[in-house]
Amino acid sequence: MDFSYSPAETEFRTALRSWLADALPTGWGETVFEPKDEDERARFRLDWERKLHAGGWSGINWPRAYGGRGATLVERAIFAEEMARARAPEGLNIIVGHNLVGTTLLRHGTEAQKQRFLPKIISSEEVWCQGFSEPNAGSDLASVRTRAERRGDKFIVNGQKIWTSFAQYADWCIALVRTDPEVRKHAGLSFLLINMKTPGITIRPLRQISGESEFNEMFFDDVQVPAENIVGEVNGGWAIAMTTLAFERGPEDALGRQMRFKQELDELLTTLASLKRDGGHVIDDPIIRQKLAKSITEVEIMRLNALRSISRYLNGEDRGPDVSLMKLFWSHAAQRLYDTALEALGPLAPLWGSAATAGGRFQLSWLQSKAFTIYSGSSEIQRNIIGERMLGLPR
Amino acid sequence: MDFSYSPAETEFRTALRSWLADALPTGWGETVFEPKDEDERARFRLDWERKLHAGGWSGINWPRAYGGRGATLVERAIFAEEMARARAPEGLNIIVGHNLVGTTLLRHGTEAQKQRFLPKIISSEEVWCQGFSEPNAGSDLASVRTRAERRGDKFIVNGQKIWTSFAQYADWCIALVRTDPEVRKHAGLSFLLINMKTPGITIRPLRQISGESEFNEMFFDDVQVPAENIVGEVNGGWAIAMTTLAFERGPEDALGRQMRFKQELDELLTTLASLKRDGGHVIDDPIIRQKLAKSITEVEIMRLNALRSISRYLNGEDRGPDVSLMKLFWSHAAQRLYDTALEALGPLAPLWGSAATAGGRFQLSWLQSKAFTIYSGSSEIQRNIIGERMLGLPR
Amino acid sequence: MNFGFDGTQRSLGDTVARLLQSVPALTAPDLDPRQSDRVYEMLAECGLFALLVPESCGGTGLSLVDTALAVESLGGGLAPPAVIATLAATDAIVRHGHEGQRRELLPKIASGELRVAIALLEPGCGYDPHTMKSTIANGRLTGRKLLVPGAAEADLLLIVTGSGGKPTLALLDARSGGVATQVQESLDPTADFHEVVLKNVAVRPESLLGGASPERAVERLMDVSATLHAGMLMGIAAQMLHKTVEYAKIRVQFGQAIGAFQAIKHRCADMAVAVEAGQSAAYYAFWAIAEDSSDSPRAAAMAKSYCGEVARMVCNEAIQVHGGMGFTWELGLHRYLRRAKVLEHAFGEGAWHNERIVAATLAALIPETNRQWEVA
Amino acid sequence: MNFGFDGTQRSLGDTVARLLQSVPALTAPDLDPRQSDRVYEMLAECGLFALLVPESCGGTGLSLVDTALAVESLGGGLAPPAVIATLAATDAIVRHGHEGQRRELLPKIASGELRVAIALLEPGCGYDPHTMKSTIANGRLTGRKLLVPGAAEADLLLIVTGSGGKPTLALLDARSGGVATQVQESLDPTADFHEVVLKNVAVRPESLLGGASPERAVERLMDVSATLHAGMLMGIAAQMLHKTVEYAKIRVQFGQAIGAFQAIKHRCADMAVAVEAGQSAAYYAFWAIAEDSSDSPRAAAMAKSYCGEVARMVCNEAIQVHGGMGFTWELGLHRYLRRAKVLEHAFGEGAWHNERIVAATLAALIPETNRQWEVA
């Protein structure tokens, strides 16, 4: 075990840190922030990703052949830390494009698919979305009903998807579709790459309880998909989707999220240090300090859990149910963090927007956090996976 | 809704209070306590029950015909409160004899059985134990295998029971036995009354994690039970056992337990008020006070939950899954209470016995509390009952 | 002794619940504070505001405990918090108003003609009425009040403030000179919160409540408000439990209703236990404050603290069991989540009331002299 | 950067685990403090006490992080806490002992010839070494120490005490004049706790640790001990998880293994998440104190607080899943429950360390001057 860094790793960190100092606007994270409007924010994040790419900091751990720089997993972790330190913006294409589509294609795509798609993911020229869940296939994902019928050199796709993040900004979609309705439900699924500009696709934004519309419903009406845009074999989609989900819940994702939670926790601590109530500083309230200590510890453990998984992969182990452990932990810990934030804000916690402490960011995050334990595989699904695949308990 | 008492109820309370003042030894609960030795304590409790009976305070809500005084449920509740106020000892025969056997016989016994058994329960001349669970029939109680074969005017009983409270002091046992192994498992059970002096019964004490041996294993080897000692019909035992369990978990039981938790909580508060640490009183620690507040509230709610159920019965409703709500609540709340007690005792919490704060009673109770969520129907079973029978969720 | 409600009490609860159900906008997903404009009038028409007014003043002459189920229905139906502010103010005037206030105001409150808003919170203060910065000096009240529900529509403001270093209650015309009211953005815009700025507002002695013991009037207002909030919170929790159980019966995954899975069934059972326990605490508090029982401050504190925790847990679990649908705007569960949160933070959160619970319990248990014992 | 253990580290863990398994009495149900008499010697024979001793003093010259898995095995195997007291004392002598102490004591510790007991707690005090009542004055130490594991068998006592108003460490012969040792009854008799009464015990200057900065030696001892305790707690938690999962696979009710029921399966999953998280915290603390990283006090505090909570939760759930068998004496789960509890209360409970975590975090995050900002 060794948490110290090699000279090469330290050099990587220094280079990134100095690049970030130049690339981010002056006053970033202190006086300058992301746009509030959702569409503007999406454009802002896409611009930021393109800037990262121009600087050579996009998809760093991908092979050089597809535009990456072949960075090690440790460098990937340093990357996450430095982004956190600089409070750099999140990306629009990171979660689906980089983490899901990229990694899935690297494992299961044909060489032609890799050549066609990977460079444009890394450059963020093409944004991706994920069409897996359906109204009746949520936790029970293998029940997807969206049909893809083979006609000549095309698949004809009909059906409905739901919870599609950023579909409104996406150029492409990975979709899990049913190609054989006659067989056992897991055995009749395929994995398609669908151009979002194809006629027959309708998007309807879904508002969340936070008021934002990160998610969408997607309707496919006789959508034509060229046959070469299948990943893997026909009816072999389930196993590929499982790879995708393992990356969705993996340490790369967890480190990115930890970055954001750490920023918000630090902001909470500095806010409470300056917030006065009944003549004292809120930060000095021993009851609140106990809860803060728990969140400080849990946010640190989020990072350590992710680093442990990365180290397991470095030491030759495969991705497995460890990703479910990680997701279950961070999702519930983050909910506790925002519950604590609102408790600490006290009598004025109900205020929203400009009148609220810290501009209402903790209230918004609190609302958003309610979804953490549901999306990307609900806590119930993660517990099944851990119980059965890791602990070996019977189904 | 009315928590005030009628003149008759107030008179009942006054009479009981003055009787208790006379009946309990001087200094009771302050300088005079129950014996520490388990056998001595059992005898002490039995003596106390007989004293209660002599004073006319035993089985007060039973019909006069069987030795009770036909008290109302409200008087029953006042009784529990006054016993708590006086820190009166628990009884040995209350939980099984009075609450389970008595109430079951009152509902399902023949007149002859009532005449024979009830007066001796109320007088504590005969102590009872409960032979329901078996090593392979715990949560899955309907799986009992102890066989009872009819031979002439007798049942011949063979098998093993477990978790039998106070079997070592008991004169009689209620037993759930299999009389028909061929039918569906719930349909082949009968409910027997077994004299513990019958040849063929062996008792082996089971030590609990607290070091005490409240429970036993019981082995039946060709035990002869007169045929008239069946309650209800042959193969009709399951429904009767369910009545018994509803009383085991009922408000009478809950009020008795609440009595003890309230005593211990008060003892904890007075202990912490006099306990000094680092120059201050432990009771002034704001972090500990938060946890104490929760336990104070929960112990009060235990009482209120029980009173609500009693009021439901008064208002004509039947006993139902409300008893599972009550048991689930008090068992977990009591565990939190003793966890809080040990936390509050702080660095010296590991001490035991005479060296420990308050003589180590909180440490013993903490150990004992681990069983609360398991016996009398585990929390998992209670949740099934509430989910299915109260909320109507599918099996 | 009977810890159950009688026919009249139950029927009041049902009436209010049905009436609110007839206004779909109340529980609609969108956060429009105006969607409930008509509700106050409807509730007045059905006699809600007359309940606590003595018969001699044109009311029904019931006690707070009679309203417990009605308040629960107000909570579950997402009635605006301004409604319970008027109920709490009615109790304050009945118990601590002088003859003039009772005679003049109560009949108009009973008929729905007068609405009262309660102003407690201030910037930089907690919930303790002793620490408020606003004060009455030389017959003038100056201060700044936050998160006052329904202040813009209110005819009267019941203001928790200080006078001569002691907490007091001033009952003022909302249109008095020097009163400025402005909408405040909040987590639950439908709670209709306002900031009220008070600048040298004239306060005549006859506008004060509580006569010679204004502190008792303030304490009672806090306890009554805490209890009413606890009741509202339990209404939300019961409603969330109900919706969750119904959803678990019809939502199918893996070939069966999700309510058959223990992961869901047992969670629903835990929600039911929490609702039962919270109701026990809330109902007892209603009884205790109605009877002015000596333990009523403690009972109110227990109810507010515990029911806030219950509502929080139940709302979170309700969203979780509803899965993806749970966090959509359209299903509207967020309305209950938001409302529960703002009620949790009104008239004392858990930690604040917990401290009061311990203090009250110790005061009853241990005579002050014993507190100084030491253990060797 | 590699947050994994190498072959040597893993093998050390396995060796200790196997060695302890060969002593069934260690985990037997009965609470006999003597059941583990031979264990100290066996561990010495396999070289455990040489690990932290520099090669120049006859040891293996490893660092604390190398012992993390071995400490976890000590926890899971219910090795007596006296074992880790000697390990913590070894670190104290290596880092803060003077040349004479190092040269004289370390070789004998390495060989198992010398055992060290650590005395911290005092009546009426908390965990803070600054508040101890025992003191050294005029070369004489007087005080009373409680819950000292293994004091009767120890050759040396490492005593946290005060001198000139500051915390300091005295390393004394356990048989010095004025030292009286007596067994203390405890929740876990197998932890072998003693009371140590010190009456005018002679303390020569060369018996002190830490040279010019004794406070740093005390702080380090607290952090090292907290971390070692966190490691032991995780050993218990991992062992309880393992036993619970194995039981859930074989115990049949309602016609299937209970591990198939979500009520049990999901609880096991939550236990696994807790164990993973606790190990993350504990392993990082081992690394941080081994490297003397600037965040090591915070890392140790996090590990002790969090792992105490994890072990508590996992032990409770383990008993629950085992049902009736869980609370029998014979199955012996109570041994782990008791041990976890006494370890939780040693070298700082959760609340105490939580306060340190917040203080350390704020100190790093906010320069002191900023603490005085006010919000309008």
Side-chain angles (χ1 to χ4, degrees), chain C residues 310-331:
Chain C
V310 167
R312 186 199 284 205
M313 173 273 207
V314 171
C315 286
N316 286 346
E317 295 294 24
I319 290 174
Q320 183 70 20
V321 172
H322 279 81
M325 290 308 296
F327 67 85
T328 57
W329 185 271
E330 283 77 7
L331 199 71

Side-chain angles (χ1 to χ4, degrees), chain A residues 34-107:
Chain A
E34 287 194 323
K36 297 236 168 197
D37 177 81
E38 279 183 67
D39 286 340
E40 275 181 55
R41 188 162 67 231
R43 274 192 299 276
F44 177 88
R45 290 182 174 187
L46 202 54
D47 285 347
W48 169 248
E49 281 181 87
R50 288 174 180 158
K51 200 166 190 177
L52 273 175
H53 175 250
W57 296 105
S58 178
I60 53 168
N61 55 325
W62 289 17
R64 289 174 190 281
Y66 309 113
R69 52 196 278 175
T72 63
L73 270 170
V74 175
E75 288 169 333
R76 181 71 185 69
I78 294 172
F79 182 79
E81 282 176 12
E82 290 301 319
M83 296 292 275
R85 183 194 297 263
R87 304 187 179 205
E90 294 181 46
L92 185 67
N93 204 26
I94 296 292
I95 293 176
V96 182
H98 285 246
N99 292 355
L100 303 195
V101 184
T103 42
T104 303
L105 287 180
L106 277 167
R107 290 223 167 178

Side-chain angles (χ1 to χ4, degrees), chain B residues 214-234:
Chain B
E214 192 189 327
F215 299 104
N216 298 273
E217 288 181 294
M218 228 179 355
F219 300 87
F220 295 95
D221 184 15
D222 281 337
V223 173
Q224 300 190 3
V225 179
E228 70 261 28
N229 283 356
I230 190 168
V231 181
E233 301 297 314
V234 174

Side-chain angles (χ1 to χ4, degrees), chain D residues 219-242:
Chain D
E219 278 166 26
R220 167 114 193 143
L221 179 71
M222 292 296 292
D223 291 337
V224 169
S225 295
T227 301
L228 292 171
H229 276 72
M232 298 261 282
L233 284 160
M234 289 321 300
I236 291 176
Q239 188 64 18
M240 284 293 91
L241 170 62
H242 175 72

Side-chain angles (χ1 to χ4, degrees), chain B residues 1-6 9 74 77 87 262 265-267 269-271 273-276 281 283-284 286 288-294 296-298 300-301 303-312 314-315 322 324-325 328-329 336 357 379-384 386-388 390-395, chain C residues 1-6 9-10 65 68 241 244-246 248-249 256-262 264-270 272-281 283-284 286-287 291 295 298 302-303 305-306 309 350-355 357-359 361-362 365-366 370-375:
Chain B
M1 182 178 298
D2 187 4
F3 279 89
S4 53
Y5 294 93
S6 69
E9 286 162 353
V74 174
R87 305 187 177 202
K262 173 77 163 55
L265 174 60
D266 286 351
E267 183 69 27
L269 292 169
T270 49
T271 300
S274 60
L275 188 65
K276 288 191 89 172
H281 287 92
I283 195 70
D284 295 324
I288 290 170
R289 285 168 84 89
Q290 287 292 311
K291 297 187 178 184
L292 291 172
K294 175 137 182 162
I296 292 169
T297 303
E298 288 183 331
E300 181 70 10
I301 289 174
R303 186 176 75 91
L304 296 171
N305 278 348
L307 294 181
R308 273 176 91 195
S309 275
I310 286 178
S311 298
R312 284 191 186 110
L314 279 175
N315 295 337
D322 62 309
S324 293
L325 285 180
L328 203 46
F329 182 84
R336 282 189 288 272
T357 315
S379 297
E380 290 71 29
I381 291 299
Q382 309 298 353
R383 292 189 185 105
N384 276 342
I386 295 166
E388 290 161 16
M390 188 175 129
L391 304 177
L393 293 169
R395 270 175 195 279
Chain C
M1 208 292 300
N2 192 337
F3 197 176
F5 292 101
D6 63 26
Q9 293 163 339
R10 286 201 305 274
V65 76
L241 170 62
T244 303
V245 167
E246 293 311 304
K249 286 177 186 169
Q256 53 182 325
I258 61 171
F261 292 104
Q262 284 184 335
I264 305 298
K265 181 183 294 177
H266 286 193
R267 188 162 300 157
C268 290
D270 283 337
V273 172
V275 168
E276 175 86 0
Q279 286 176 331
S280 290
Y283 297 163
Y284 182 75
F286 270 97
W287 181 82
E291 296 294 314
D295 68 343
R298 192 179 89 130
M302 283 185 175
S305 172
Y306 198 80
E309 201 179 306
W352 190 72
H353 282 296
N354 283 345
E355 182 51 45
I357 292 165
V358 175
T361 305
L362 289 172
L365 186 68
I366 308 169
N370 289 358
R371 287 291 308 286
Q372 304 312 318
W373 287 349
E374 290 189 24
V375 154

Side-chain angles (χ1 to χ4, degrees), chain C residues 328-344:
Chain C
T328 57
W329 185 271
E330 283 77 7
L331 199 71
L333 295 189
H334 70 107
R335 289 293 312 283
Y336 300 87
L337 181 74
R338 290 168 188 265
R339 179 61 61 82
K341 200 63 178 175
V342 305
L343 295 179
E344 187 189 339

